[in-house]
Amino acid sequence: MIFGRRKSDDSFDAQRADMVEGQLRRHGIRSERVLDVMGRVPREAFVPDRHRAFAYADNALPVEHGQSISQPYMVALMTQALELEGPERVLEIGTGTGYQAAVLAALCAAVYSVERIPELAETARTRLADQGIANVTITVGDGTCGWPEHAPYDGIIVTAGAPKAPQPLLNQLAAGGRLVIPVGDRVSQMLKAFTKRADGIREQDLCACKFVPLLGAHGWSEREA
Ligand code: SAH
């Protein structure tokens, strides 16, 4: 994959390398595929201009429309939990800036991403196209209902906090597929992985986290947003 380059990108390259070693590897990310890809995807190209200098800070950043781009470590942990090997098709709920989608796109065959705010979906499309990333398809809608047209998915990643795992997403998982999702209240959640097995759904706790709320029919009420 080719990412656009300018001479002024050199300092971002150094910051990205530091992020991989000082944040991701140091805090226990072990997947060499995830570490390699996050060492190449230019996070600075996905954050709003005014926050660009902080693109590689060890925290989430505010983005347009009161949303946020997750901390690099959280992106790495969620991506690693999907255990992607290459041929998978993945559904993302909450496109936001498109950064998580760009990371996934380098690790699997196709990414389908649903965003409820049309302006964010449009900006993400532009940013992904600018990076030459062609295997991400974005739609505007309520991602708590999944995206049935392209189901089943080998992996589903929800980048907003939910009251529970939405049933439509569990239904749209392929056999052996995994749903990675923050579940809890509106303020704090537990990152969970649900794996669809022949004998039922296996649930694992990964770590405590804080995401913006997942709003929709199988999430939090939009009226209280
Ligand atoms: N993955 C993003 C971060 C997303 S922040 C990135 O890499 O930048 C969470 C996003 O989920 C927000 O953009 C929010 O608008 C979106 N969201 C919340 N509820 C949603 C729903 N029901 N369907 C689709 N998107 C939703």
Side-chain angles (χ1 to χ4, degrees):
M1 191 175 303
I2 300 158
F3 297 115
R5 294 199 53 84
R6 276 170 294 144
K7 201 152 195 325
S8 61
D9 290 346
D10 288 357
S11 90
F12 284 126
D13 289 350
Q15 292 180 46
R16 194 177 317 111
D18 286 350
M19 171 195 79
V20 169
E21 294 308 317
Q23 299 176 34
L24 309 187
R25 210 185 281 279
R26 181 152 165 250
H27 292 126
I29 300 299
R30 291 283 168 264
S31 164
E32 291 298 331
R33 289 192 82 218
V34 172
L35 293 166
D36 171 61
V37 166
M38 289 189 63
R40 289 188 289 124
V41 176
R43 185 169 160 95
E44 70 276 12
F46 292 88
V47 304
D49 285 347
R50 66 185 186 286
H51 296 309
R52 195 143 292 161
F54 309 105
Y56 292 96
D58 188 10
N59 46 253
L61 291 173
V63 304
E64 300 85 353
H65 297 275
Q67 304 303 318
S68 61
I69 177 171
S70 304
Q71 177 193 22
Y73 171 73
M74 191 55 62
V75 172
L77 187 67
M78 294 178 85
T79 307
Q80 176 173 267
L82 290 174
E83 296 184 7
L84 300 172
E85 291 179 354
E88 297 87 354
R89 299 162 66 258
V90 173
L91 175 68
E92 179 193 28
I93 308 304
T95 316
T97 64
Y99 175 68
Q100 172 75 71
V103 170
L104 292 168
L107 291 164
C108 70
V111 179
Y112 298 91
S113 187
V114 185
E115 171 57 53
R116 64 183 283 276
I117 301 177
E119 293 83 359
L120 290 180
E122 197 44 48
T123 307
R125 278 192 192 108
T126 305
R127 286 172 174 151
L128 289 161
D130 286 349
Q131 297 303 318
I133 298 171
N135 59 339
V136 176
T137 313
I138 298 173
T139 193
V140 175
D142 177 4
T144 68
C145 300
W147 193 350
E149 286 85 342
H150 301 287
Y153 303 97
D154 305 298
I156 302 181
I157 179 170
V158 180
T159 61
K164 61 179 176 2
Q167 191 59 45
L169 299 185
L170 292 169
N171 295 347
Q172 289 171 35
L173 271 185
R178 190 168 287 186
L179 165 65
V180 176
I181 180 171
V183 176
D185 60 33
R186 275 177 172 256
V187 182
S188 66
Q189 304 88 29
M190 175 60 70
L191 184 66
K192 289 179 177 275
F194 295 87
T195 308
K196 197 178 236 182
R197 297 181 155 192
D199 57 352
I201 303 270
R202 185 174 76 133
E203 182 178 332
Q204 289 165 276
D205 286 352
L206 301 181
C207 81
C209 55
K210 270 175 178 287
F211 279 78
V212 297
L214 180 75
L215 303 175
H218 301 268
W220 298 103
S221 157
E222 312 212 16
R223 270 177 292 123
E224 297 159 41

Short mmCIF file of all heavy atoms in Angstrom, two decimals, residues 120-153:
data_model
loop_
_atom_site.label_atom_id
_atom_site.label_comp_id
_atom_site.label_asym_id
_atom_site.label_seq_id
_atom_site.Cartn_x
_atom_site.Cartn_y
_atom_site.Cartn_z
N LEU A 120 -19.07 13.15 8.85
CA LEU A 120 -17.89 12.35 9.23
C LEU A 120 -17.63 11.27 8.19
O LEU A 120 -16.47 11.02 7.82
CB LEU A 120 -18.09 11.72 10.62
CG LEU A 120 -18.06 12.66 11.83
CD1 LEU A 120 -18.26 11.87 13.11
CD2 LEU A 120 -16.76 13.45 11.88
N ALA A 121 -18.70 10.63 7.73
CA ALA A 121 -18.54 9.58 6.71
C ALA A 121 -17.88 10.16 5.47
O ALA A 121 -16.95 9.55 4.90
CB ALA A 121 -19.91 8.99 6.37
N GLU A 122 -18.31 11.35 5.07
CA GLU A 122 -17.78 11.97 3.85
C GLU A 122 -16.29 12.33 4.01
O GLU A 122 -15.47 12.06 3.14
CB GLU A 122 -18.62 13.21 3.51
CG GLU A 122 -18.45 13.71 2.09
CD GLU A 122 -18.47 12.60 1.04
OE1 GLU A 122 -19.38 11.74 1.08
OE2 GLU A 122 -17.55 12.58 0.19
N THR A 123 -15.96 12.92 5.18
CA THR A 123 -14.56 13.29 5.41
C THR A 123 -13.68 12.04 5.46
O THR A 123 -12.57 12.02 4.91
CB THR A 123 -14.43 14.07 6.74
OG1 THR A 123 -15.35 15.15 6.70
CG2 THR A 123 -13.03 14.62 6.94
N ALA A 124 -14.18 10.98 6.08
CA ALA A 124 -13.40 9.74 6.17
C ALA A 124 -13.16 9.15 4.78
O ALA A 124 -12.06 8.70 4.46
CB ALA A 124 -14.11 8.73 7.06
N ARG A 125 -14.20 9.20 3.93
CA ARG A 125 -14.04 8.70 2.55
C ARG A 125 -12.91 9.44 1.85
O ARG A 125 -12.07 8.82 1.18
CB ARG A 125 -15.33 8.93 1.75
CG ARG A 125 -16.38 7.89 1.97
CD ARG A 125 -17.51 8.04 0.91
NE ARG A 125 -18.64 7.22 1.30
CZ ARG A 125 -19.80 7.72 1.77
NH1 ARG A 125 -19.99 9.02 1.85
NH2 ARG A 125 -20.75 6.90 2.15
N THR A 126 -12.89 10.77 2.00
CA THR A 126 -11.86 11.58 1.35
C THR A 126 -10.48 11.23 1.88
O THR A 126 -9.53 11.06 1.12
CB THR A 126 -12.16 13.08 1.59
OG1 THR A 126 -13.48 13.35 1.16
CG2 THR A 126 -11.18 13.97 0.85
N ARG A 127 -10.38 11.11 3.20
CA ARG A 127 -9.06 10.82 3.80
C ARG A 127 -8.54 9.45 3.35
O ARG A 127 -7.35 9.30 3.06
CB ARG A 127 -9.17 10.86 5.33
CG ARG A 127 -9.30 12.27 5.87
CD ARG A 127 -9.59 12.24 7.35
NE ARG A 127 -9.59 13.59 7.93
CZ ARG A 127 -10.31 13.95 8.99
NH1 ARG A 127 -11.07 13.06 9.60
NH2 ARG A 127 -10.25 15.16 9.46
N LEU A 128 -9.43 8.46 3.31
CA LEU A 128 -9.00 7.12 2.89
C LEU A 128 -8.58 7.13 1.42
O LEU A 128 -7.56 6.55 1.06
CB LEU A 128 -10.13 6.11 3.14
CG LEU A 128 -10.37 5.81 4.63
CD1 LEU A 128 -11.76 5.21 4.85
CD2 LEU A 128 -9.30 4.87 5.18
N ALA A 129 -9.35 7.83 0.59
CA ALA A 129 -9.01 7.91 -0.84
C ALA A 129 -7.66 8.60 -1.01
O ALA A 129 -6.82 8.18 -1.81
CB ALA A 129 -10.10 8.64 -1.60
N ASP A 130 -7.42 9.66 -0.23
CA ASP A 130 -6.14 10.38 -0.30
C ASP A 130 -4.96 9.47 0.02
O ASP A 130 -3.84 9.71 -0.42
CB ASP A 130 -6.12 11.57 0.69
CG ASP A 130 -6.98 12.73 0.22
OD1 ASP A 130 -7.43 12.71 -0.95
OD2 ASP A 130 -7.22 13.65 1.04
N GLN A 131 -5.20 8.45 0.83
CA GLN A 131 -4.13 7.52 1.19
C GLN A 131 -4.06 6.34 0.21
O GLN A 131 -3.31 5.38 0.45
CB GLN A 131 -4.35 6.98 2.62
CG GLN A 131 -4.29 8.05 3.69
CD GLN A 131 -2.97 8.81 3.68
OE1 GLN A 131 -1.91 8.21 3.52
NE2 GLN A 131 -3.04 10.12 3.82
N GLY A 132 -4.91 6.34 -0.81
CA GLY A 132 -4.88 5.26 -1.79
C GLY A 132 -5.48 3.96 -1.26
O GLY A 132 -5.18 2.88 -1.78
N ILE A 133 -6.33 4.07 -0.25
CA ILE A 133 -6.94 2.87 0.35
C ILE A 133 -8.27 2.61 -0.33
O ILE A 133 -9.18 3.44 -0.26
CB ILE A 133 -7.12 3.07 1.88
CG1 ILE A 133 -5.75 3.27 2.53
CG2 ILE A 133 -7.85 1.87 2.49
CD1 ILE A 133 -5.79 3.67 3.99
N ALA A 134 -8.37 1.46 -1.00
CA ALA A 134 -9.54 1.22 -1.86
C ALA A 134 -10.44 0.09 -1.35
O ALA A 134 -11.49 -0.17 -1.95
CB ALA A 134 -9.06 0.91 -3.27
N ASN A 135 -10.07 -0.58 -0.27
CA ASN A 135 -10.88 -1.72 0.18
C ASN A 135 -11.72 -1.40 1.42
O ASN A 135 -12.04 -2.28 2.21
CB ASN A 135 -10.00 -2.95 0.42
CG ASN A 135 -8.91 -2.72 1.45
OD1 ASN A 135 -8.53 -1.58 1.72
ND2 ASN A 135 -8.41 -3.80 2.04
N VAL A 136 -12.09 -0.12 1.58
CA VAL A 136 -13.00 0.29 2.66
C VAL A 136 -14.24 0.87 2.01
O VAL A 136 -14.14 1.75 1.15
CB VAL A 136 -12.37 1.36 3.58
CG1 VAL A 136 -13.38 1.81 4.64
CG2 VAL A 136 -11.10 0.83 4.25
N THR A 137 -15.42 0.37 2.40
CA THR A 137 -16.68 0.90 1.89
C THR A 137 -17.46 1.46 3.07
O THR A 137 -17.65 0.77 4.07
CB THR A 137 -17.52 -0.23 1.23
OG1 THR A 137 -16.67 -0.96 0.35
CG2 THR A 137 -18.69 0.34 0.45
N ILE A 138 -17.85 2.73 2.95
CA ILE A 138 -18.51 3.42 4.07
C ILE A 138 -19.96 3.71 3.71
O ILE A 138 -20.25 4.13 2.59
CB ILE A 138 -17.77 4.74 4.38
CG1 ILE A 138 -16.33 4.44 4.83
CG2 ILE A 138 -18.51 5.56 5.45
CD1 ILE A 138 -15.46 5.67 5.00
N THR A 139 -20.85 3.50 4.68
CA THR A 139 -22.24 3.90 4.48
C THR A 139 -22.69 4.71 5.68
O THR A 139 -22.11 4.62 6.77
CB THR A 139 -23.16 2.68 4.26
OG1 THR A 139 -24.42 3.14 3.78
CG2 THR A 139 -23.38 1.90 5.53
N VAL A 140 -23.74 5.53 5.49
CA VAL A 140 -24.31 6.32 6.59
C VAL A 140 -25.55 5.59 7.09
O VAL A 140 -26.40 5.20 6.29
CB VAL A 140 -24.69 7.73 6.10
CG1 VAL A 140 -25.41 8.50 7.20
CG2 VAL A 140 -23.45 8.48 5.65
N GLY A 141 -25.61 5.36 8.41
CA GLY A 141 -26.80 4.69 8.94
C GLY A 141 -26.62 4.35 10.40
O GLY A 141 -25.64 4.77 11.04
N ASP A 142 -27.57 3.60 10.93
CA ASP A 142 -27.52 3.13 12.32
C ASP A 142 -26.80 1.80 12.37
O ASP A 142 -27.37 0.75 12.06
CB ASP A 142 -28.95 3.00 12.88
CG ASP A 142 -28.94 2.46 14.30
OD1 ASP A 142 -27.84 2.27 14.87
OD2 ASP A 142 -30.03 2.22 14.85
N GLY A 143 -25.54 1.86 12.75
CA GLY A 143 -24.70 0.65 12.78
C GLY A 143 -25.12 -0.36 13.83
O GLY A 143 -24.63 -1.50 13.80
N THR A 144 -25.99 0.01 14.77
CA THR A 144 -26.42 -1.00 15.75
C THR A 144 -27.24 -2.10 15.07
O THR A 144 -27.43 -3.17 15.65
CB THR A 144 -27.23 -0.40 16.93
OG1 THR A 144 -28.49 0.08 16.46
CG2 THR A 144 -26.47 0.74 17.61
N CYS A 145 -27.71 -1.82 13.85
CA CYS A 145 -28.43 -2.84 13.07
C CYS A 145 -27.48 -3.59 12.14
O CYS A 145 -27.90 -4.44 11.35
CB CYS A 145 -29.55 -2.19 12.25
SG CYS A 145 -30.75 -1.33 13.28
N GLY A 146 -26.18 -3.26 12.20
CA GLY A 146 -25.19 -3.90 11.33
C GLY A 146 -25.35 -3.42 9.89
O GLY A 146 -25.86 -2.32 9.64
N TRP A 147 -24.89 -4.24 8.98
CA TRP A 147 -25.01 -3.95 7.53
C TRP A 147 -25.30 -5.31 6.88
O TRP A 147 -24.39 -6.00 6.40
CB TRP A 147 -23.72 -3.33 7.01
CG TRP A 147 -23.84 -2.73 5.64
CD1 TRP A 147 -24.87 -2.84 4.75
CD2 TRP A 147 -22.86 -1.89 4.99
NE1 TRP A 147 -24.61 -2.13 3.62
CE2 TRP A 147 -23.38 -1.54 3.73
CE3 TRP A 147 -21.58 -1.41 5.35
CZ2 TRP A 147 -22.68 -0.74 2.83
CZ3 TRP A 147 -20.89 -0.62 4.46
CH2 TRP A 147 -21.43 -0.28 3.21
N PRO A 148 -26.59 -5.72 6.89
CA PRO A 148 -26.96 -7.09 6.51
C PRO A 148 -26.52 -7.47 5.09
O PRO A 148 -26.20 -8.63 4.85
CB PRO A 148 -28.49 -7.10 6.62
CG PRO A 148 -28.87 -5.89 7.39
CD PRO A 148 -27.73 -4.91 7.32
N GLU A 149 -26.51 -6.49 4.16
CA GLU A 149 -26.20 -6.81 2.75
C GLU A 149 -24.87 -7.53 2.58
O GLU A 149 -24.71 -8.34 1.67
CB GLU A 149 -26.16 -5.53 1.90
CG GLU A 149 -27.51 -4.92 1.59
CD GLU A 149 -28.00 -4.00 2.71
OE1 GLU A 149 -27.48 -4.09 3.85
OE2 GLU A 149 -28.93 -3.22 2.44
N HIS A 150 -23.88 -7.20 3.41
CA HIS A 150 -22.54 -7.79 3.22
C HIS A 150 -22.24 -8.89 4.22
O HIS A 150 -21.14 -9.44 4.22
CB HIS A 150 -21.47 -6.70 3.29
CG HIS A 150 -21.65 -5.63 2.27
ND1 HIS A 150 -21.39 -5.83 0.93
CD2 HIS A 150 -22.10 -4.36 2.37
CE1 HIS A 150 -21.66 -4.71 0.26
NE2 HIS A 150 -22.09 -3.81 1.11
N ALA A 151 -23.20 -9.23 5.11
CA ALA A 151 -22.97 -10.24 6.14
C ALA A 151 -22.90 -11.63 5.49
O ALA A 151 -23.43 -11.80 4.39
CB ALA A 151 -24.12 -10.18 7.15
N PRO A 152 -22.27 -12.64 6.13
CA PRO A 152 -21.67 -12.56 7.47
C PRO A 152 -20.25 -11.99 7.45
O PRO A 152 -19.57 -12.00 6.42
CB PRO A 152 -21.66 -14.02 7.91
CG PRO A 152 -21.45 -14.78 6.64
CD PRO A 152 -22.19 -14.00 5.57
N TYR A 153 -19.81 -11.52 8.60
CA TYR A 153 -18.47 -10.94 8.77
C TYR A 153 -17.59 -11.83 9.64
O TYR A 153 -18.06 -12.39 10.63
CB TYR A 153 -18.58 -9.55 9.42
CG TYR A 153 -19.46 -8.61 8.63
CD1 TYR A 153 -20.80 -8.44 8.97
CD2 TYR A 153 -18.96 -7.93 7.53
CE1 TYR A 153 -21.62 -7.59 8.23
CE2 TYR A 153 -19.78 -7.09 6.78
CZ TYR A 153 -21.10 -6.92 7.13
OH TYR A 153 -21.91 -6.10 6.40
#
